[in-house]
Amino acid sequence: MSQQVDVISEIKSFIDHYRECVDNIVNTLRRLKDAEQLLAREEISRSVYESLRMEYFTQLMPYVERYFKLKFRLKEYKNRLQVLLTRLKLESNRGSTSRIASAIDLYRIDSRYRFLTSKSAKPAEGEASSPVRPPMKLDLSEVEAMLNELIRLESRIDVIDEISLLEEYLNISIKRNPNLDKSEWEQYLKAVMDRWSEVKSSYLRRLEDLETKLNELSDAIRENEIRFAVGEYDHDTYNERRIALEKRLNAIKDEIETIQRNIESTDLRILRSLELLGGVKRG
């Protein structure tokens, strides 16, 4: 007898487990960032920071493992909900409850998606015996809310933190267990690298825009100096414009440095993860 599972209950359960996992990771990462700020302000020593860091990552290990296993399934659940939601909307527009039922039937084709059926219903005389499905209502707003919650949870941990978590997990786990199943983690790393490729492309486009603005501001600063030199601007006007332009220039330089630092450190973490999995060796 095949197992009968309610797909909505299945996804609700998945969301609860995934939310709990994400909450634990986000809270621990927040404490780590707080410790980094204490170190930067020299309120704690490097040795104290490293002890805290190791303690926090040790606490994170089981959650990181669960996170990547669940995240790998999240796309499948999103697709299921998107298909169901689209069909419900289409059939709702037509006002046909019978067609909504047929849309739900698609999920019964696979035993994993079959809904519970009535055991007491009997076939009419002369009809072939078949399970009778009880009437079932699917709340469109509930399905939509579940999909939105999956999308929200998916974005709570950004890809840079994901790569950092993955590298730390591999570094600790492989030392503890040299026989770790690396093929599974290669899949997770590939998925994260694909996501990073998209984010990195947006970073690079942002860098191009910032470089253009940087050149424009440099030209504006030179123009301000020339106008002051020829007497077009008085000293107060010149200083006011200079301070404003230099403030904008420095802000752009800081953003460029931050983006470049993020790109370099994240690429390095990916390289180290590949090395830990045996996919790359440095010359």
Side-chain angles (χ1 to χ4, degrees):
M1 181 177 178
S2 63
Q3 186 180 10
Q4 297 173 320
V5 180
D6 183 334
V7 67
I8 298 299
S9 297
E10 180 185 345
I11 298 178
K12 281 182 178 178
S13 176
F14 172 84
I15 289 174
D16 288 341
H17 285 95
Y18 190 70
R19 185 190 296 112
E20 177 194 8
C21 187
V22 169
D23 284 345
N24 276 282
I25 291 174
V26 168
N27 291 335
T28 305
L29 287 177
R30 188 178 295 119
R31 289 194 290 270
L32 273 168
K33 286 182 170 63
D34 289 343
E36 288 174 6
Q37 291 176 2
L38 291 175
L39 177 65
R41 295 195 300 263
E42 298 183 348
E43 295 181 29
I44 59 174
S45 65
R46 169 65 64 175
S47 61
V48 169
Y49 168 74
E50 291 298 339
S51 295
L52 286 171
R53 186 173 180 276
M54 180 55 66
E55 178 185 333
Y56 286 143
F57 269 108
T58 300
Q59 293 173 7
L60 273 176
M61 290 291 284
Y63 292 108
V64 172
E65 182 172 0
R66 281 178 58 197
Y67 172 78
F68 282 103
K69 290 178 184 294
L70 291 171
K71 182 71 180 286
F72 203 66
R73 293 163 53 198
L74 186 141
K75 185 176 181 180
E76 174 191 351
Y77 284 118
K78 273 176 58 181
N79 289 340
R80 290 193 207 175
L81 285 176
Q82 285 167 342
V83 170
L84 181 56
L85 182 62
T86 302
R87 288 188 174 275
L88 287 173
K89 285 181 177 179
L90 290 172
E91 301 304 336
S92 176
N93 289 339
R94 292 185 182 181
S96 170
T97 55
S98 63
R99 287 192 175 91
I100 292 177
S102 67
I104 299 170
D105 282 346
L106 291 176
Y107 288 88
R108 298 191 180 104
I109 295 171
D110 190 315
S111 61
R112 292 175 299 170
Y113 312 145
R114 290 176 186 164
F115 292 87
L116 296 175
T117 57
S118 172
K119 295 180 180 179
S120 60
K122 297 180 180 180
E125 187 177 348
E127 290 183 354
S129 176
S130 61
V132 177
R133 300 181 179 95
M136 175 171 287
K137 291 183 180 179
L138 274 181
D139 187 342
L140 189 148
S141 62
E142 181 184 14
V143 175
E144 193 167 32
M146 290 170 63
L147 178 58
N148 289 336
E149 177 66 359
L150 276 182
I151 293 170
R152 186 189 72 83
L153 288 171
E154 185 180 26
S155 62
R156 281 196 68 196
I157 300 177
D158 67 34
V159 68
I160 292 177
D161 282 336
E162 279 188 340
I163 292 169
S164 175
L165 289 168
L166 184 58
E167 186 220 350
E168 291 289 348
Y169 178 88
L170 291 173
N171 189 40
I172 295 172
S173 293
I174 291 175
K175 286 178 182 177
R176 291 179 178 176
N177 178 20
N179 297 319
L180 178 76
D181 181 8
K182 295 181 179 179
S183 61
E184 180 181 10
W185 289 93
E186 285 170 356
Q187 294 182 63
Y188 303 151
L189 179 58
K190 182 182 181 304
V192 173
M193 286 172 64
D194 289 343
R195 188 180 171 200
W196 168 240
S197 179
E198 296 177 4
V199 173
K200 185 177 178 179
S201 294
S202 68
Y203 271 151
L204 293 174
R205 289 192 297 271
R206 178 62 178 163
L207 282 177
E208 290 179 3
D209 292 341
L210 290 172
E211 291 290 349
T212 300
K213 291 179 181 179
L214 197 64
N215 292 333
E216 291 172 353
L217 283 170
S218 297
D219 291 341
I221 289 173
R222 284 193 293 271
E223 180 184 346
N224 188 51
E225 292 171 351
I226 292 171
R227 288 177 181 270
F228 174 64
V230 300
E232 189 173 336
Y233 290 159
D234 60 26
H235 193 271
D236 289 342
T237 302
Y238 163 74
N239 264 339
E240 183 181 345
R241 288 178 58 82
R242 178 184 61 80
I243 291 170
L245 289 168
E246 288 179 352
K247 182 178 180 180
R248 290 169 58 194
L249 187 77
N250 290 332
I252 288 177
K253 284 181 177 179
D254 288 344
E255 186 176 353
I256 288 174
E257 289 176 4
T258 298
I259 292 174
Q260 289 174 335
R261 188 164 55 249
N262 282 339
I263 290 175
E264 290 171 6
S265 62
T266 304
D267 282 344
L268 184 58
R269 286 185 179 278
I270 288 174
L271 180 61
R272 286 199 292 256
S273 298
L274 287 168
E275 289 176 342
L276 287 166
L277 291 171
V280 140
K281 298 192 181 297
R282 297 195 192 187

